[in-house]
């Protein structure tokens, strides 16, 4: 009797398994991408760390310094979808490598280029916009790469581990960057973060890719995109990350600022790793994937919003550190919820979908910051801003609980030609 041909869906599943990383490969890539995410944030926060010194050297006032700081997000909002689409089409590792090479070089060259012209403000604003454009492709391409290369049962822990690199990057730049700034001046911070990024690029290209690329899956149709409104809403929780530092400087001027800037991130790193481990463990124990994703969002948006709300109504420095640490730490549960849920739905176009969702989230963040600033100026109280944060987080959670799904979208061969 001749063997029966495999059904189309089963054949696709076998093909997907063959392209996934083995366990040693997954461990190597996870550590490498963790470092890449760390370096991305090192480059991203180099300007905030050096703003005071640069303002003194270039004669910027607070409004001009604010212009330079905010210009990063102008570019960051524009390349999310492009990065995800390219990741799905040509491979996320290629997009990550090319963008890291470009932003690493730009960061390392910033001190030299800034002194070539007297128009320091114009150059730095343009430089930050370009950095935002280059870094905007990273997370969508990362999502595309992990969705295609990591087994579903290990996806949440892998994504959470890589995502913890953002907290590592904040800590590294805050500690090492501040030391370099005091001893060698602000240009050394840019040389440090940009130079390490270029070394990382060389390592990935020569040791992991061996000078070659990989074949990515075809890009499927996009007709199912509009059916996932929760993916967009939940990303608005990113508003919370900018508030604790401003709260501490404004309300507790005599306290140790580094405590407020370091302790929450030290809590967030193990919280991110734990959330990924817990998510994968629950799924492997037989719990429905969507149930686990929604539970993670209850922690990452719901409980986090509760602590953010409490943060706006305390006058104790120690209590505010506890509330801020809890809120930021719980936010990392989003890595095992909404972020990886997109990979559950459509692994072959997860990068594109994540790019669309992250664009909406970034735009919502810009609007939220402006609205929060208006409320702060109008009311004179930080409580109003944290009330806004809690309200936005609650809205995102309710939307995901109502509309969130985890059933993989069926992509017919006809879609793949679109």
């Amino acid at each position: 009797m001749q063997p029966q041909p495999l059904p189309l869906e089963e054949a696709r599943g076998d093909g997907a398994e063959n392209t996934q990383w083995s366990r040693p490969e997954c461990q190597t890539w996870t550590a490498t991408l963790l470092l890449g995410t760390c370096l991305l944030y090192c480059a991203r926060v180099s300007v905030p760390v050096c703003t005071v010194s640069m303002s003194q050297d270039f004669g910027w006032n607070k409004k001009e310094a604010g212009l330079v700081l905010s210009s990063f997000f102008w570019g960051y909002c524009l390349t999310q979808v492009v990065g995800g689409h390219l990741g799905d089409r040509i491979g996320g590792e290629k997009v990550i490598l090319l963008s890291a090479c470009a932003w690493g070089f730009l960061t390392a060259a910033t001190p030299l280029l800034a002194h070539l012209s007297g128009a320091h403000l114009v150059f730095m604003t343009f430089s930050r916009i370009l950095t935002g454009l280059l870094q905007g492709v990273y997370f969508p391409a990362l999502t595309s790469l992990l969705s295609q290369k990591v087994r579903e049962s290990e996806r949440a822990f892998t994504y959470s581990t890589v995502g913890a690199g953002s907290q590592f990057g904040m800590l590294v730049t805050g500690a090492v960057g501040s030391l370099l700034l005091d001893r060698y001046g602000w240009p050394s911070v840019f040389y440090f973060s940009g130079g390490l990024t270029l070394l990382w690029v060389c390592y990935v290209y020569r040791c992991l890719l061996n000078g070659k690329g990989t074949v990515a899956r075809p890009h499927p149709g996009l007709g199912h995109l509009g059916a996932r409104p929760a993916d967009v809403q939940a990303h608005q929780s990113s508003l919370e990350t900018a508030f604790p530092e401003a709260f501490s400087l404004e309300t507790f001027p005599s306290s140790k600022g580094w405590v407020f800037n370091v302790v929450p991130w030290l809590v967030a790193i193990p919280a991110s790793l734990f959330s990924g481990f817990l998510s994968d463990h629950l799924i492997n124990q037989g719990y429905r994937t969507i149930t686990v994703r929604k539970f993670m969002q209850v922690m990452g948006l719901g409980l986090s919003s509760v602590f953010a709300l409490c943060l706006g109504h305390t006058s104790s420095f120690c209590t505010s550190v506890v509330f801020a640490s809890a809120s930021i730490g719980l936010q990392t549960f989003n890595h095992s919820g909404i972020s990886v849920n997109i990979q559950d739905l459509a692994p072959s176009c997860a990068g594109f979908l994540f790019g669309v969702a992250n664009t909406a989230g970034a735009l919502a963040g810009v609007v939220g910051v402006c609205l929060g600033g208006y409320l702060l100026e109008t009311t004179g109280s930080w409580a109003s801003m944290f009330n806004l944060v809690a309200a936005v987080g609650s809205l995102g959670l309710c939307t995901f609980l109502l509309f969130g799904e985890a059933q993989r979208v069926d992509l017919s061969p006809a879609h793949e030609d679109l």
Side-chain angles (χ1 to χ4, degrees):
M1 180 182 293
Q2 293 183 347
Q4 296 294 324
L6 291 172
L8 178 59
E9 291 302 320
E10 185 177 347
R12 284 183 179 175
D14 291 342
E17 290 292 331
N18 292 334
T19 64
Q20 290 177 339
W21 290 325
S22 65
R23 186 172 296 275
E25 287 177 326
C26 186
Q27 292 172 347
T28 301
W29 272 100
T30 299
T32 301
L33 293 171
L34 168 64
L35 180 58
T37 305
C38 173
L39 293 172
L40 176 135
Y41 270 82
C42 285
R44 179 180 300 189
V45 301
S46 292
V47 169
V49 168
C50 301
T51 298
V52 175
S53 296
M54 296 177 72
S55 297
Q56 293 174 350
D57 286 355
F58 299 142
W60 297 340
N61 56 37
K62 290 185 177 181
K63 184 178 180 180
E64 291 170 333
L67 175 66
V68 173
L69 289 172
S70 63
S71 59
F72 172 87
F73 296 97
W74 304 350
Y76 191 72
C77 294
L78 299 178
T79 53
Q80 299 284 329
V81 176
V82 174
H85 177 73
L86 290 176
D88 295 334
R89 297 287 290 186
I90 68 175
E93 69 279 9
K94 293 181 181 179
V95 178
I96 289 172
L97 205 64
L98 291 173
S99 65
C101 182
W103 93 60
F105 176 80
L106 178 62
T107 302
T110 293
L112 299 176
L113 297 175
H115 288 91
L116 291 179
S117 170
H120 306 298
L121 181 63
V122 174
F123 169 79
M124 287 304 304
T125 300
F126 176 77
S127 173
R128 291 295 287 174
I129 293 174
L130 184 56
T131 301
L133 287 169
L134 294 170
Q135 292 198 350
V137 305
Y138 182 87
F139 281 106
L142 175 67
T143 300
S144 176
L145 177 62
L146 296 184
S147 69
Q148 297 181 25
K149 297 297 185 180
V150 179
R151 294 179 178 87
E152 185 174 355
S153 60
E154 303 174 355
R155 197 169 284 161
F157 180 75
T158 302
Y159 196 92
S160 297
T161 302
V162 173
S166 59
Q167 285 81 41
F168 276 114
M170 299 287 285
L171 287 174
V172 168
T173 307
V176 179
S178 298
L179 181 63
L180 291 173
L181 181 65
D182 291 338
R183 294 192 176 184
Y184 305 106
W186 65 264
S188 63
V189 179
F190 290 87
Y191 296 146
F192 170 76
S193 57
L196 286 182
T197 300
L198 294 176
L199 290 176
W200 179 82
V201 169
C202 292
Y203 165 75
V204 174
Y205 182 75
R206 297 187 61 180
C207 299
L208 296 185
L209 297 181
N210 295 318
K212 303 181 212 176
T214 56
V215 179
R217 301 176 188 173
H219 198 293
L222 306 175
H224 58 281
L225 178 60
R228 314 295 179 210
D231 293 349
V232 177
Q233 292 289 341
H235 278 263
Q236 295 179 350
S237 64
S238 61
L239 289 171
E240 298 178 32
T241 58
F243 296 151
E245 180 180 1
F247 184 88
S248 65
L249 293 175
E250 188 75 18
T251 312
F252 308 110
S254 61
S255 62
K256 297 290 185 181
W258 67 266
V259 174
F260 217 111
N261 295 329
V262 171
V263 172
W265 306 114
L266 288 176
V267 173
I269 293 171
S272 181
L273 299 177
F274 173 73
S275 71
F277 169 80
L278 178 62
S279 178
D280 287 341
H281 176 73
L282 292 175
I283 292 175
N284 289 330
Q285 290 296 311
Y287 289 91
R288 294 179 62 218
T289 300
I290 188 57
T291 302
V292 175
R293 302 299 184 228
K294 288 184 177 181
F295 170 72
M296 292 297 161
Q297 285 307 120
V298 169
M299 303 293 289
L301 282 177
L303 194 54
S304 175
S305 296
V306 171
F307 282 107
L309 185 65
C310 295
L311 183 58
H313 297 273
T314 180
S315 58
S316 168
F317 176 73
C318 292
T319 305
S320 68
V321 171
V322 172
F323 287 159
S325 300
S327 181
I328 292 175
L330 288 167
Q331 268 196 338
T332 64
F333 280 64
N334 293 327
H335 293 320
S336 304
I338 184 64
S339 296
V340 78
N341 179 243
I342 295 177
Q343 302 174 39
D344 299 329
L345 294 170
S348 59
C349 63
F352 177 85
L353 296 180
F354 184 89
V356 173
N358 219 32
T359 298
L363 291 173
V366 172
V367 174
V369 169
C370 294
L371 180 58
Y374 171 78
L375 290 174
L376 179 62
E377 184 177 354
T378 302
T379 64
S381 171
W382 281 100
S384 61
M385 181 175 288
F386 286 104
N387 291 342
L388 172 65
V389 170
V392 170
S394 300
L395 175 62
L397 175 62
C398 292
T399 306
F400 186 70
L401 292 178
L402 289 173
F403 300 105
E405 299 178 21
Q407 183 177 359
R408 183 170 299 184
V409 177
D410 183 22
L411 300 174
S412 65
H415 285 155
E416 295 180 354
D417 296 329
L418 297 179

